[in-house]
Amino acid sequence: MAPSAYAQALNPELSENIKKTPEFLGHESIKKATGEILGFSSLNTVEELEEIMKRARAAQIEWAKKPVRERAAIIRKASAYITKNCDELARTISDDNGKTRIDAVISELIPSAMAASYYSGKARKFLKDRFIVPGHILLANKISRISRLPFGVIGIISPWNYPFAIPFSEVVMGLLAGNAVILKTASETQMVGKALKEVFESIGLPPDVFSYVNMPGKIAGDAFLAAGVDKLFFTGSVGVGKYLMGKAAETLTPVSLELGGNDAMLVCDDADLERAADGAIWAGFQNAGQSCGGVERIYVHYNVYYRFLEILKTKTESLRVGYDTDFNVDIGVMTTERQMKTVETHINDALEKGAVIHAKAHFAQEGKWCNLIAPVVLTEVNHDMLVMKEETFGPVLGVMRVDSMDDAIALANDSSLGLTGSVWSTDRKKAISLARRIRAGAVTINDHLMSHGLSETPWGGLKESGIGRTHGEIGFQEMTEPQVIVEDIMPFVKRNMWWHPHDKKVYNGLKGLLEMLYSQSLMTRLTGSVKMLMLYMRTFKRD
């Protein structure tokens, strides 16, 4: 496999030199802002994945036997590793993904370090047996408890937009729950994948409990399922998610899917407009807009529409967009040329249908950088435009005026996706009421694009944004299967009253149980009680 024509054109001498090195064995990783080759990652074959799966399955048995506190002590070390290697990790993420180093620390490294600490501290509680209160006094001797069992070997296929934080939390939860984990990161960000591999190989995990594989995305899902993974976690496009769900159905392999969003922001007429505009800038343009939970559509009450646009314009035009060389840029470059083309298509579609560019950010530096696109704010948009109907996944905000917040809710829900949303208002009660009406898996009030960083908060969407959850206790439970254990705490009872042999007395006694509990006639209840008690007495003696 030769370096891409794109990379060679930008750095022909570097490409030829690297091509001669022994490290050239598979995927090349490109520095997104300059086109330089960062390195190469060897590719795994399907046969190698099958062998990795066998070793992982054997290792998982012993790993699950370890007390939770021992597993947690190992995982907790990851927080210290991230802290110690913060500069190197931030640079790797920035080079490989395109976001700024500050962005990498904010949205990738800090949440990951917090996640390792949080889940290590909560794992024993999350995995502890839970007793169920008996449903009726007549069966109160049957005590039930719920145990959480690891699936076995879980597979994780992660995306390129948050190449460190998204898989990191899932790996941590999977391991703490007693699973072995096989991770496949995005081909576009292989250097971050290698960095993740180093994190988990440095903290003292037993061999084969964690494995890292590099496979093309078009075959990875099929290969994981064919190899017999016990559960598959996938973050990516709706189309691929639907395909994997269909393939998984053939073997009834459970899946957890996070498939993106076209997320709405609702600005009420009593909102703090400065804060709302700042929030729109952050949630719409951070990571060059490549956030499935970021703002794409904004619906503003007509009373504050023009004032909000004025503030948003000023803040957008003050952004510094470019290559992170000295920390003095706010927005980095996009990750792939393919995604840039999607963004350009959506913008052009909107302009052709009557949209207006209300504000546009400016480039901070001179020079020819790759994958650089200026964030824009569009007005005069409507739901016939791609930017309002589909996931743009780029630094574009479409802003619509609404006559009422009821209209805003209707427009927000006019989407096949439902990952996140937000409501901006100084009236807390009203904001919560509106939030409950948004058909999205996570809704924030006076904030946006931050709940993924809260370890305690479930993450996932409604509608075509996916199924299942990650993060929080609910997400942790996705790494386990529930098992109920029912115990009879009255060992002196010889048998249940419904056991064989059967006769007319058994029938009358069981019917009497129904009459005692649910008849509307007092006399019938009394006679039913007598028949039930006569049957109940047989539980203390053998035939």
Side-chain angles (χ1 to χ4, degrees):
M1 173 181 170
S4 67
Y6 172 65
Q8 290 188 64
L10 289 168
N11 298 278
E13 183 178 347
L14 178 63
S15 297
E16 289 302 315
N17 288 338
I18 292 181
K19 190 162 61 174
K20 298 173 184 177
T21 67
E23 193 178 2
F24 177 59
L25 298 170
H27 281 158
E28 62 186 8
S29 288
I30 305 299
K31 190 173 184 177
K32 300 308 184 289
T34 66
E36 298 171 59
I37 295 181
L38 298 170
F40 294 89
S41 298
S42 59
L43 288 168
N44 294 104
T45 65
V46 172
E47 291 75 20
E48 286 173 331
L49 175 60
E50 291 172 350
E51 182 59 33
I52 289 169
M53 183 72 70
K54 291 178 183 177
R55 296 199 303 268
R57 200 168 296 288
Q60 184 272 331
I61 294 172
E62 297 304 315
W63 174 246
K65 291 178 181 178
K66 287 184 177 293
V68 180
R69 64 177 180 276
E70 290 186 21
R71 301 200 295 261
I74 294 173
I75 298 300
R76 192 175 282 111
K77 296 176 185 177
S79 299
Y81 181 96
I82 291 171
T83 302
K84 182 179 179 180
N85 297 279
C86 176
D87 292 339
E88 180 182 352
L89 290 170
R91 169 53 70 192
T92 297
I93 295 169
S94 178
D95 286 348
D96 209 17
N97 165 271
K99 67 183 65 177
T100 68
R101 282 171 289 172
I102 292 175
D103 195 342
V105 173
I106 294 169
S107 64
E108 305 257 22
L109 299 182
I110 290 176
S112 295
M114 288 181 171
S117 176
Y118 176 80
Y119 294 119
S120 295
K122 294 291 186 181
R124 290 181 68 185
K125 176 186 175 184
F126 291 165
L127 295 171
K128 185 179 180 181
D129 284 0
R130 300 191 180 185
F131 287 92
I132 303 173
V133 176
H136 200 281
I137 192 171
L138 288 177
L139 295 173
N141 60 309
K142 308 294 185 182
I143 301 298
S144 302
R145 71 182 74 195
I146 299 292
S147 294
R148 308 298 308 192
L149 305 182
F151 277 96
V153 181
I154 65 171
I156 297 172
I157 299 177
S158 61
W160 47 258
N161 62 324
Y162 291 90
F164 193 94
I166 287 178
F168 182 89
S169 292
E170 293 178 356
V171 171
V172 162
M173 289 186 288
L175 292 171
L176 283 169
N179 299 288
V181 176
I182 301 176
L183 170 66
K184 176 256 183 296
T185 56
S187 300
E188 294 84 352
T189 49
Q190 283 299 300
M191 294 300 101
V192 179
K194 283 186 171 182
L196 278 165
K197 178 175 181 285
E198 291 174 9
V199 172
F200 290 109
E201 289 183 348
S202 73
I203 60 177
L205 289 167
D208 301 316
V209 167
F210 169 81
S211 301
Y212 172 81
V213 298
N214 179 23
M215 308 182 81
K218 62 184 179 181
I219 69 169
D222 287 314
F224 270 62
L225 293 167
V229 70
D230 294 303
K231 185 169 185 178
L232 182 63
F233 290 78
F234 171 78
T235 304
S237 70
V238 173
V240 175
K242 288 181 176 181
Y243 170 80
L244 291 177
M245 189 172 182
K247 291 293 292 184
E250 295 175 7
T251 52
L252 292 183
T253 302
V255 295
S256 178
L257 307 173
E258 198 267 270
L259 306 177
N262 182 24
D263 304 311
M265 171 178 175
L266 278 60
V267 182
C268 300
D269 60 356
D270 61 349
D272 180 332
L273 298 183
E274 286 281 344
R275 179 181 174 91
D278 280 330
I281 294 291
W282 161 256
F285 299 148
Q286 175 269 345
N287 196 25
Q290 299 167 125
S291 301
C292 50
V295 171
E296 296 202 356
R297 303 175 287 148
I298 306 179
Y299 303 102
V300 187
H301 194 280
Y302 73 94
N303 282 341
V304 294
Y305 176 75
Y306 293 106
R307 175 58 181 154
F308 175 78
L309 283 180
E310 180 184 340
I311 298 170
L312 188 61
K313 179 180 177 67
T314 300
K315 293 182 182 295
T316 299
E317 293 177 347
S318 69
L319 288 173
R320 299 164 298 176
V321 186
Y323 171 43
D324 180 11
T325 57
D326 55 8
F327 298 104
N328 290 322
V329 294
D330 302 304
I331 309 296
V333 304
M334 295 193 69
T335 307
T336 71
E337 291 179 283
R338 181 179 67 254
Q339 194 56 41
M340 281 192 66
K341 291 177 181 177
T342 298
V343 173
E344 291 167 358
T345 297
H346 282 205
I347 292 175
N348 290 335
D349 171 80
L351 296 178
E352 290 171 2
K353 293 176 179 176
V356 175
I357 294 179
H358 176 74
K360 186 175 183 179
H362 302 287
F363 299 137
Q365 308 141 325
E366 296 294 329
K368 184 180 179 181
W369 308 117
C370 306
N371 296 0
L372 192 60
I373 190 167
V376 298
V377 176
L378 299 176
T379 56
E380 305 302 323
V381 293
N382 59 59
H383 277 222
D384 292 328
M385 300 174 183
L386 295 176
V387 291
M388 305 301 280
K389 290 196 303 182
E390 299 179 6
E391 183 177 38
T392 302
F393 214 63
V396 182
L397 290 174
V399 187
M400 282 185 70
R401 181 178 62 182
V402 294
D403 293 332
S404 70
M405 298 320 293
D406 287 336
D407 291 343
I409 290 291
L411 289 166
N413 290 335
D414 181 26
S415 174
S416 63
L417 300 171
L419 185 59
T420 78
S422 62
V423 179
W424 300 74
S425 170
T426 55
D427 184 332
R428 180 172 175 268
K429 184 177 180 180
K430 178 176 74 174
I432 292 175
S433 176
L434 288 170
R436 293 183 187 277
R437 296 169 61 190
I438 297 177
R439 294 287 297 160
V443 183
T444 47
I445 295 172
N446 295 324
D447 212 332
H448 204 121
L449 193 57
M450 44 71 62
S451 65
H452 188 273
L454 299 176
S455 300
E456 71 276 14
T457 303
W459 177 260
L462 309 180
K463 299 186 279 189
E464 290 191 358
S465 283
I467 60 172
R469 295 292 184 270
T470 60
H471 294 202
E473 184 173 3
I474 294 175
F476 197 101
Q477 288 177 348
E478 293 267 0
M479 300 293 175
T480 64
E481 295 187 278
Q483 179 190 62
V484 63
I485 298 174
V486 182
E487 178 185 6
D488 195 313
I489 60 171
M490 294 173 59
F492 52 86
V493 172
K494 306 303 181 183
R495 57 178 177 169
N496 292 326
M497 57 182 176
W498 54 87
W499 284 2
H500 299 103
H502 290 168
D503 57 20
K504 186 65 178 292
K505 291 181 179 179
V506 173
Y507 178 85
N508 289 336
L510 294 173
K511 181 181 177 183
L513 173 63
L514 286 172
E515 292 170 341
M516 178 188 74
L517 295 175
Y518 306 116
S519 175
Q520 295 182 342
S521 166
L522 178 59
M523 182 57 65
T524 302
R525 284 195 172 203
L526 292 174
T527 57
S529 300
V530 173
K531 290 187 286 187
M532 187 280 299
L533 288 173
M534 291 176 64
L535 176 62
Y536 183 70
M537 296 305 295
R538 78 192 294 246
T539 63
F540 298 101
K541 59 184 179 180
R542 299 188 189 278
D543 281 338

